């Protein structure tokens, strides 16, 4: 799976691609992430990418001109790849990301061109011209799409085969509309709070049952809305 990210703030992706599980997935060639600066595609001498909105109003809008060139360049790069591709725009008005949507994106075997907006957004004609899919990471507004893009990529990449162990995927929150049970590790006694004895019993069936009950208890406590979906 390939991600091509179009942004005005490339440096925001430095830590993301160089850390932990995402770095390992890149090193193992499970995924590639290329980050491209939209500003490189400007044709005016001041390298301007944004202009005030027609009709007035606050903020600046990223112009269709450099952005379309950046998209065309990205499409060209993916042209000879056997996988199909989709163009995504991180936007607070998009479809809200959840576990099932991440799973859909990760199982599609597509490549993705992701547009990160900043300021007041991008020219609407880009969305129409390229049949862009809009994704939001939640009902709040960020200053730009870069963090949202990283959240999106992280949630998709970790579900790709080989990125993390199959076992951790099976038991994690949201796979079955239940939140994950509480976890404990050393020390056994932390300020008088001891690890539940059953977890030291070595009795796998009882431990599995206990964890299931705990999952249900935790879900009822924190996300009762999920219980209704079971
Ligand atoms: N850009 C700004 N806010 C956003 C959000 N909530 N989700 C995705 N992209 C965004």
């Amino acid at each position: 799976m390939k991600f091509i990210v179009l942004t005005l703030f490339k440096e925001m992706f430095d830590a993301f691609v160089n850390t932990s599980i995402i770095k390992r997935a890149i090193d193992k060639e499970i995924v590639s992430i290329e980050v491209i600066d939209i500003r490189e595609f400007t044709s005016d001498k001041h390298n301007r990418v944004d202009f005030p909105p027609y009709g007035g109003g606050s903020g600046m809008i990223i112009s269709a001109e450099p952005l379309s060139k950046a998209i065309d360049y990205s499409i060209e790069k993916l042209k000879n790849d056997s996988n199909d591709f989709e163009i995504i725009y991180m936007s607070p008005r998009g479809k809200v990301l959840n576990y099932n949507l991440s799973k859909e994106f990760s199982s599609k075997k597509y490549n993705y061109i992701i547009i990160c907006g900043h300021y007041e957004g991008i020219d609407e004609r880009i969305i129409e011209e390229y049949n862009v899919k809009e994704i939001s990471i939640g009902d709040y507004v960020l200053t730009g799409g870069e963090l949202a893009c990283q959240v999106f990529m992280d949630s998709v990449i970790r579900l790709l085969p080989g990125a993390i162990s199959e076992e951790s995927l099976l038991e994690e929150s949201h796979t079955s509309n239940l939140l994950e049970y509480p976890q404990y590790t050393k020390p056994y006694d932390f300020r008088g709070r001891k690890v539940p004895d059953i977890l030291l019993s070595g009795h796998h069936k009882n431990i599995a049952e206990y964890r299931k009950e705990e999952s249900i208890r935790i879900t009822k406590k924190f996300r009762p809305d999920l219980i209704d979906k079971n």
Side-chain angles (χ1 to χ4, degrees):
M1 183 173 284
K2 290 185 177 147
F3 290 95
I4 299 184
V5 178
L6 308 180
T7 174
L8 293 170
F9 299 95
K10 271 179 83 167
E11 63 279 12
M12 286 183 75
F13 292 86
D14 291 350
F16 182 70
V17 299
N18 282 306
T19 311
S20 184
I21 290 166
I22 301 301
K23 179 180 189 312
R24 207 179 56 202
I26 294 169
D27 291 346
K28 284 166 83 178
E29 296 183 4
I30 293 167
V31 69
S32 75
I33 301 176
E34 185 175 358
V35 187
I36 292 176
D37 186 351
I38 301 166
R39 210 175 287 281
E40 283 176 19
F41 296 86
T42 51
S43 38
D44 83 308
K45 65 173 190 274
H46 300 295
N47 288 337
R48 275 195 72 172
V49 287
D50 56 321
F51 296 91
Y54 276 114
S58 67
M60 303 291 257
I61 311 297
I62 298 178
S63 162
E65 282 300 344
L67 188 49
S68 60
K69 285 186 189 143
I71 295 171
D72 292 343
Y73 174 80
S74 309
I75 292 174
E76 190 61 29
K77 286 202 135 196
L78 296 176
K79 207 176 59 186
N80 296 325
D81 198 285
S82 55
N83 290 350
D84 214 342
F85 70 88
E86 254 173 14
I87 305 178
I88 292 171
Y89 171 45
M90 303 313 304
S91 147
R93 77 178 190 192
K95 186 165 181 184
V96 179
L97 189 65
N98 62 17
Y99 188 84
N100 286 338
L101 198 54
S102 301
K103 188 110 199 115
E104 250 176 58
F105 280 108
S106 81
S107 38
K108 264 201 295 204
K109 308 268 180 304
Y110 276 19
N111 296 321
Y112 299 101
I113 297 169
I114 308 182
I115 306 165
C116 301
H118 233 87
Y119 318 118
E120 286 303 305
I122 64 174
D123 192 301
E124 188 69 19
R125 290 167 292 182
I126 288 289
I127 314 262
E128 298 158 7
E129 176 76 10
Y130 291 96
N131 194 19
V132 172
K133 208 174 207 168
E134 296 182 62
I135 300 288
S136 164
I137 61 159
D139 291 336
Y140 42 81
V141 181
L142 303 166
T143 55
E146 285 75 12
L147 289 175
C149 173
Q150 289 173 39
V151 169
F152 173 73
M153 291 194 292
D154 191 292
S155 74
V156 172
I157 292 167
R158 65 189 294 288
L159 296 174
L160 293 173
I164 56 176
S165 82
E166 297 290 316
E167 215 180 13
S168 24
L169 290 181
L170 279 177
E171 296 193 344
E172 70 187 359
S173 293
H174 293 292
T175 41
S176 54
N177 279 326
L178 285 178
L179 301 179
E180 198 176 359
Y181 48 80
Q183 298 272 29
Y184 305 88
T185 187
K186 288 178 185 202
Y188 169 71
D189 186 334
F190 171 67
R191 298 183 183 172
R193 296 170 189 272
K194 300 191 177 65
V195 174
D197 284 337
I198 189 158
L199 298 177
L200 290 92
S201 68
H203 197 301
H204 298 299
K205 190 161 166 284
N206 287 358
I207 291 174
E209 275 167 20
Y210 166 79
R211 285 177 161 166
K212 179 83 195 250
E213 284 163 17
E214 282 293 281
S215 271
I216 294 169
R217 181 181 69 77
I218 290 286
T219 310
K220 279 185 179 158
K221 181 172 172 193
F222 292 106
R223 291 293 304 276
D225 56 303
L226 292 178
I227 292 284
D228 301 335
K229 293 186 185 161
N230 278 299

